[in-house]
Structures are given as C-alpha cells and as structure tokens.
Amino acid sequence: MQDRGFTPTQLAARAAYLLRGNDLGVMTSAAPKLYPHMWSWDAAFVAVGLAPLSVERAVVELDTLLSAQWRNGMIPHIVFANGVDGYFPGPARWEVNRLAANAPETAQTSGITQPPVHAIAVQRILDHSRRHGRSTRAVADAFLDRRWPDLMRWHRWLARARDLDGNGRIALYHGWESGMDNSPRWDAAYANVIADAVPAYRREDLVHVTDPGQRPSDGEYARYLWLLEEMKRVRYDDDELATAMSFAVEDVFVSAVFALSCEVLADIGEDCSKPRADIRDLREWSDRFRRGVVDTTDPRSGAAKDFDLRDGRWVATDTLAMFAPLLCGGLDRPVERVLLRTFDGPKFCGHPDLRYALPPSTSPVSADFRPREYWRGPVWPVMTWLFSWAFARRGWAERANALRAEGLRQAADGSFAEYYEPFTGEPLGSMQQSWTAAAVLDWLG
C-alpha cells in the first residue's frame, strides 16, 4: 500500500496519538502551533476521525461547535479556545461579542462561516455508533435528537441568508469562508478590494511557517483584514453585508457541498424519523443548489464556475472547484464522464510528474499553479478524503478506493501535514494537522 514510512497499523496509532495530543478537552485544535483553536469544517472532519476511536468524543466535538452557533443559525468559522493565544486575527480583532446582535453570549468566535460539511460528520458518527453496543448507539441518537434543530437552523440560514438571488448558489463575503483562502478563484475578486488603513497587526502564521512562499502574501493579508473592517462597520448584519462588502462571490464548490450535505441530512432525517417538514425542506434545498451548481457548468466539459457578484462575471479556473458537480451530481452522464476524465487526466490526478495520483488544489498546467503555496497548487489530504467519500457515496467504488490508497501512501511519512508538494511529496504548511490525521483514521477504520 505504501512505498515508504509507517505500516497501516503504525500510521493509525500515530494518527490517534496526534488527535489525543491536540485535544483541548471539549475541542480539538486544528493544529497545535499554527491553528490552536477550533475551526468549523476542521471540527467536522476531526469528528469523522474521532468516530472510529470514540463515538462519545466525536459527539463532544460537534456539541462544542454547535454550542457556539449564532442565533441566526450561522456556524462561525472559528471558535476560540479560552486562554489560548498565538493566532491572529483573534477575538479582539473580530469584536463580534460587542458588535453582532446574533453572536453567542457564551463563546468567542469569528464573524464569518465555512463550508457546511457537518452533516457528513454526523453520518459517520451514526455509522460507527451502529457497530457498537446499545449505550454507544444511545449517545449518538441522543446527540442527533439534541442537535437536529441546530443543524436545521444552520442549513436554513445558508439557504435563506446566503442564496442572495434564489439561484441555488451560496454567496461568500470573504475568501476565508470558502476554506480555500488564496485560491486563484479569488484573484479578481480580491483585486477589487481596496484596503484602506488597516489597524496594526502581526502575522502569527509566518512565525510558525517560516517560508513565506507557502503562505498568502502581505498584500493579500491586508485585503483579508480590510474585509473584516467592512463587516464590523455593518455589525455583521446579514442584510447589510449583501450590499456593504467589496468582496462578494457565489462559490460553486461550497454550493455543491451544501447540496450534498442537505441530501445527507435528509437521509439521516428519514432514517431517524425526524419531522417531515424538515426533510421536505432539505430535499428542496438539495435540488435547488444542485441545479444552481449545474447551471454554472460548461456544456461540453462539465467544469463548474464561480460568479463574481461585484463584477457581474463568471470566474472559470483550473482548480478543484471545477469538479464541484462530481460531489453533488446533476450533470448529464456523458458530460459527467468528460469531467471525470479531466479529474483523472494530465491536468489533475494523472499529471505525469505528480508524486502521487491525487488532485492538486490548482492544476499543474495552469498559469496560476504554484506547487508550494497554500491553495495554489499543493495537495490537501482533506480534499482527497472528501472526493473519495463522495465518490464512494455515488457508487464509484474503484475511483474512491484509488484515492484512498494514494492518500494513504502520501500520508505514510507520518507527518500529517496540512498540505503536500505535489511533485516531491514534501510535507508543507502546518505539521500535526488534526484533519489530516482524521482522514487517515477514517480511511484505515
């Protein structure tokens, strides 16, 4: 299975040890140095990895995240750990407890959101609970009963507050909300962000990743922080943000994840006898956002596009976002086969110089490709996991297993890196990344 490094048993043990080491009690830090708090979609993937170790602990992870949910239904992208420093921007820069009417009273959070992958984590928790005794199953069932209204509020907020034109696509007001912070997808949108005087700051990320070539530039960071100032000016109000933000894009990848997650949550609801009205809403949202994704695609290649709401133009890039329809479905089968060939072919997984046959975040043949820089080229194990899981769900077992096998070969060095150089396999970014360990545990579970 691997050509170097640890055996599967050793790798699983190291991954479990890493998650225990990053455990802060009721939350898992995304990474102990660079990301010492809880991130929203990280927490969902961490719960996926915790579930085969302890369903009970996986439940605690999502309980902590959902306890920080905003009153309007938004799950914030960061929940800050009490007494933990070393990350910027922290609570003092976001100021949500002072400014935002919907911010939680009992937690410190950021003021934006992240991709809605949480239903997938709930499904994995339920899957593992069914393999245990009655008491473990009861813990998972009680969690679902307790948190079902919160999960519905989350999905309802996305469907209503972030589908600005009712066209089935999620609008984002910051590239951080996509999870793919500095992807080439956002270059044009960020170029329209004219940063005024940003209050003084010190970049903590460059303290822990000393090669600045792996991280966004200072110019990019100034724009990121200026967008926070724009949000603060309107006190994070949903209605105001729609017109106040100089960055506003319809994210086709997040929209596909939402369509998929609505379908997963509807399936859970049917299996667990949840309210029919909720299931009906989830099915409607899944259908609407699947159509919204497909409406962006090229009729011949199937490649999906984002839409810049400020420029009023489509944004086509050779990044992972182009494969959004492979997650949620909806393409005609002949077009879907073309898109799958692109995924497998020399623009992505089949590029002849790749160390492992895995999808880089940006195509190596793209002019925007930078093999060491964050979301502009490196391979992210968590994205490999997401595509592998989605492919398995869609019945593409051979493709899913191939990604799993290659992902484990890449991870066999035991570094559990945030991302990897696609040609050499060198681990980059933060080491001891929780969601990378979680992906490995799920693959080996």
Side-chain angles (χ1 to χ4, degrees):
M1 183 186 61
Q2 77 264 349
D3 53 0
R4 59 186 171 84
F6 296 96
T7 68
T9 300
Q10 291 169 331
L11 195 61
R14 288 177 65 87
Y17 182 79
L18 186 155
L19 289 185
R20 284 195 293 271
N22 291 356
D23 192 337
L24 302 178
V26 295
M27 66 168 67
T28 304
S29 67
K33 294 182 179 179
L34 184 55
Y35 307 111
H37 305 284
M38 169 183 270
W39 268 254
S40 174
W41 71 328
D42 291 69
F45 290 118
V46 165
V48 167
L50 288 171
L53 302 176
S54 168
V55 166
E56 292 80 1
R57 182 60 187 83
V59 162
V60 169
E61 194 74 13
L62 293 188
D63 259 331
T64 298
L65 179 66
L66 290 168
S67 293
Q69 187 173 21
W70 284 32
R71 283 184 283 274
N72 60 358
M74 184 182 82
I75 296 178
H77 102 293
I78 302 175
V79 181
F80 293 103
N82 292 332
V84 176
D85 295 321
Y87 180 79
F88 180 85
R93 181 59 67 107
W94 290 97
E95 293 189 282
V96 301
N97 296 93
R98 181 177 73 85
L99 296 173
N102 287 309
E105 295 179 359
T106 58
Q108 291 186 315
T109 77
S110 65
I112 59 175
T113 194
Q114 269 190 328
V117 293
H118 308 82
I120 299 172
V122 174
Q123 181 63 71
R124 296 304 288 144
I125 288 171
L126 293 172
D127 289 344
H128 283 285
S129 75
R130 301 302 183 249
R131 299 170 189 154
H132 294 276
R134 185 178 303 172
S135 62
T136 298
R137 293 197 301 272
V139 167
D141 291 341
F143 164 77
L144 185 62
D145 290 343
R146 183 170 65 253
R147 293 302 186 179
W148 179 263
D150 300 324
L151 292 166
M152 284 302 304
R153 287 196 304 123
W154 166 226
H155 283 236
R156 186 169 288 110
W157 177 78
L158 285 164
R160 294 180 177 176
R162 290 302 186 92
D163 185 6
L164 302 184
D165 298 323
N167 58 14
R169 290 187 290 276
I170 300 288
L172 306 184
Y173 303 127
H174 200 301
W176 286 349
E177 293 195 305
S178 72
M180 302 182 187
D181 302 12
N182 74 328
S183 172
R185 302 165 63 194
W186 314 133
D187 286 356
Y190 275 132
N192 290 328
V193 177
I194 307 303
D196 204 339
V198 175
Y201 66 96
R202 174 176 179 262
R203 288 186 61 175
E204 292 285 346
D205 60 323
L206 295 181
V207 175
H208 303 294
V209 180
T210 55
D211 174 10
Q214 296 182 35
R215 304 292 298 177
S217 69
D218 287 344
E220 289 172 310
Y221 224 81
R223 291 187 175 98
Y224 300 162
L225 294 176
W226 178 247
L227 292 175
L228 266 65
E229 298 305 313
E230 290 186 340
M231 292 174 187
K232 290 159 68 173
R233 288 178 176 181
V234 297
R235 307 177 74 88
Y236 298 99
D237 180 85
D238 283 334
D239 293 332
E240 296 278 355
L241 289 169
T243 55
M245 298 302 297
S246 53
F247 180 107
V249 296
E250 291 176 347
D251 183 323
V252 73
F253 194 87
V254 169
S255 301
V257 168
F258 184 58
L260 174 61
S261 294
C262 286
E263 182 179 84
V264 170
L265 196 58
D267 290 346
I268 292 171
E270 287 186 344
D271 290 343
C272 299
S273 302
K274 296 305 175 190
R276 291 182 180 178
D278 289 349
I279 296 167
R280 186 168 56 249
D281 284 346
L282 290 165
R283 296 289 184 205
E284 189 277 323
W285 297 332
S286 182
D287 290 343
R288 188 203 329 164
F289 283 84
R290 185 180 298 108
R291 288 194 302 271
V293 170
V294 171
D295 286 345
T296 77
T297 59
D298 182 276
R300 288 172 295 184
S301 70
K305 301 181 289 292
D306 302 301
F307 187 76
D308 189 325
L309 289 163
R310 294 295 173 255
D311 274 354
R313 66 182 188 88
W314 293 103
V315 182
T317 55
D318 287 330
T319 66
L320 286 176
M322 67 188 290
F323 301 112
L326 300 183
L327 298 178
C328 65
L331 287 176
D332 291 338
R333 186 57 183 152
V335 179
E336 187 172 72
R337 282 196 291 267
V338 173
L339 189 58
L340 282 166
R341 285 198 294 271
T342 303
F343 186 86
D344 294 335
K347 289 182 71 172
F348 280 89
C349 298
H351 190 283
D353 296 331
L354 292 182
R355 181 69 181 85
Y356 304 103
L358 297 170
S361 48
T362 299
S363 171
V365 305
S366 167
D368 297 315
F369 176 74
R370 298 175 194 165
R372 301 177 65 83
E373 189 183 327
Y374 215 40
W375 287 97
R376 303 186 77 93
V379 174
W380 288 69
V382 73
M383 286 293 100
T384 301
W385 184 90
L386 181 61
F387 276 99
S388 176
W389 181 87
F391 288 0
R393 178 178 172 83
R394 300 201 60 200
W396 302 338
E398 185 175 349
R399 294 179 185 279
N401 289 335
L403 288 176
R404 171 186 174 275
E406 286 293 275
L408 286 172
R409 284 211 308 135
Q410 181 185 64
D413 70 338
S415 65
F416 302 106
E418 186 179 8
Y419 44 92
Y420 291 78
E421 211 278 2
F423 300 142
T424 67
E426 178 189 354
L428 299 174
S430 172
M431 301 301 114
Q432 298 178 290
Q433 193 81 15
S434 291
W435 67 2
T436 302
V440 167
L441 283 167
D442 188 80
W443 279 329
L444 292 174

